[in-house]
Amino acid sequence: MRDSQGRVIEYARISLTEACNFCCAYCRPQEITEAMAPVLPPSFWLPLLEALHLGGIKALRLTGGEPLLYPHLYELLERIQESQWFSDISMTTNGSLLETQAKRLFTAGVQRLNISLDSVEEEGFAKAVGRNGQLAGVLRGIEAAKTAGFQNIKINTVVQAPFSDKEVETLLHYGKEWDVVWRFIEYMPFQGKQSHVPTFGEWKEQIERIVGSELTPVTDRLGFGPAQYFQLPDGQRIGFIFLCPINIVLLAIAFVSLQMDRYAYVCCVMKI
């Protein structure tokens, strides 16, 4: 699949559901439950996925909302596996349901996970997701994913405010302990204006100061997304997703409900 400029698109994201059991301030103002979210059956998705395959899409990411709340998830995954349309299947999740579903996900053919985790401190995490008492379950979910056999796990932290050096050191400690790639993502204020948050350059400078060395760019491809990756002196890899320094090759497909109408939109942001 190519755009009008001849640029190749090989990666698609589909949002299976609007439902989510968290209420992250940068994402939505209130919880959208399974009962409130429209459900599109596998019979809707499969023709679309086949069309993407025929158009040259090689990698598929399942997102939400929280995709583990999609009621037909495993039926859809079974059909995708049978089709052999995609060489890479991944998922973005908040991790809250992984403790009981990680093994089944891995068996069903999901190869890679991106897990949202904005803080490893109970108070900070509760503030980020709008729910108390959820952090321990997410941490157990990450451990369950490792035990299930997932080798390529990325942890996504949305940078809503400056982090202290101690907070950054804690995140890097967990990243090394879990053997995951920790990614820092620029906060996008969909709900309105924002105060100053660290820029890519400021984050990079802070981490270099903490580790006592310049970060080494990683040239290996770590997935299909827009992140820039760097290696720390101890070999740990981290990533940044910030608007200014990053080029993107991405086809994003989402189905959303706005009042009583449903819309399908395609957003292509191409590498230049």
Side-chain angles (χ1 to χ4, degrees):
M1 183 181 294
R2 295 178 181 271
D3 70 354
S4 60
Q5 303 300 313
R7 295 171 292 199
V8 176
I9 302 172
E10 57 183 3
Y11 171 41
R13 300 165 58 104
I14 64 171
S15 175
L16 295 176
T17 178
E18 291 180 79
C20 188
N21 51 343
F22 285 173
C23 299
C24 301
Y26 51 78
C27 183
R28 57 164 49 94
Q30 62 182 2
E31 182 179 35
I32 299 178
T33 65
E34 294 173 80
M36 296 165 60
V39 176
L40 298 171
S43 60
F44 171 88
W45 289 113
L46 289 167
L48 173 61
L49 294 175
E50 183 178 17
L52 291 173
H53 160 68
L54 294 174
I57 296 298
K58 300 176 182 178
L60 178 68
R61 175 170 295 277
L62 306 176
T63 71
E66 171 48 52
L68 290 175
L69 291 175
Y70 177 60
H72 307 296
L73 175 62
Y74 292 101
E75 178 187 352
L76 180 61
L77 283 171
E78 181 179 3
R79 299 291 298 276
I80 293 173
Q81 282 293 90
E82 290 173 351
S83 72
Q84 297 187 342
W85 289 331
F86 307 106
S87 60
D88 183 273
I89 301 172
S90 57
M91 175 178 286
T92 297
T93 172
N94 63 31
S96 62
L97 304 174
L98 279 178
E99 184 178 7
T100 58
Q101 297 201 45
K103 185 174 182 180
R104 189 178 181 188
L105 269 183
F106 187 74
T107 303
V110 176
Q111 298 155 274
R112 300 185 296 114
L113 291 176
N114 287 5
I115 303 172
S116 301
L117 185 62
D118 290 339
S119 176
V120 292
E121 302 294 336
E122 185 66 54
E123 183 178 349
F125 186 79
K127 181 179 180 180
V129 305
R131 292 287 183 272
N132 293 319
Q134 301 297 313
L135 176 60
V138 174
L139 299 183
R140 291 194 300 268
I142 294 171
E143 295 288 355
K146 297 289 294 183
T147 301
F150 285 99
Q151 299 295 315
N152 193 330
I153 297 176
K154 299 184 180 75
I155 305 296
N156 292 339
T157 294
V158 175
V159 181
Q160 301 182 64
F163 282 33
S164 69
D165 285 3
K166 182 178 180 180
E167 288 174 310
V168 175
E169 289 170 354
T170 300
L171 298 183
L172 296 180
H173 167 77
Y174 273 96
K176 185 175 183 179
E177 181 177 296
W178 289 332
D179 190 25
V180 299
V181 176
W182 210 293
R183 308 196 304 178
F184 301 99
I185 301 175
E186 181 178 12
Y187 171 52
M188 300 180 188
F190 295 118
Q191 304 299 330
K193 295 182 179 180
Q194 69 178 63
S195 57
H196 174 73
V197 296
T199 64
F200 167 75
E202 290 169 339
W203 258 107
K204 186 172 179 288
E205 181 180 342
Q206 182 180 12
I207 293 177
E208 287 177 336
R209 185 181 70 252
I210 291 170
V211 302
S213 174
E214 290 188 1
L215 303 182
T216 304
V218 173
T219 56
D220 298 343
R221 189 173 189 177
L222 302 180
F224 294 82
Q228 281 190 332
Y229 294 98
F230 296 85
Q231 184 167 297
L232 306 184
D234 63 3
Q236 182 181 353
R237 293 180 175 187
I238 62 173
F240 298 94
I241 301 179
F242 282 73
L243 291 180
C244 293
I246 293 174
N247 296 323
I248 301 172
V249 181
L250 177 65
L251 170 64
I253 298 179
F255 288 82
V256 299
S257 175
L258 181 60
Q259 295 179 352
M260 296 302 292
D261 297 320
R262 294 180 185 178
Y263 298 89
Y265 66 86
V266 179
C267 174
C268 301
V269 185
M270 307 305 299
K271 185 174 182 178
I272 56 175

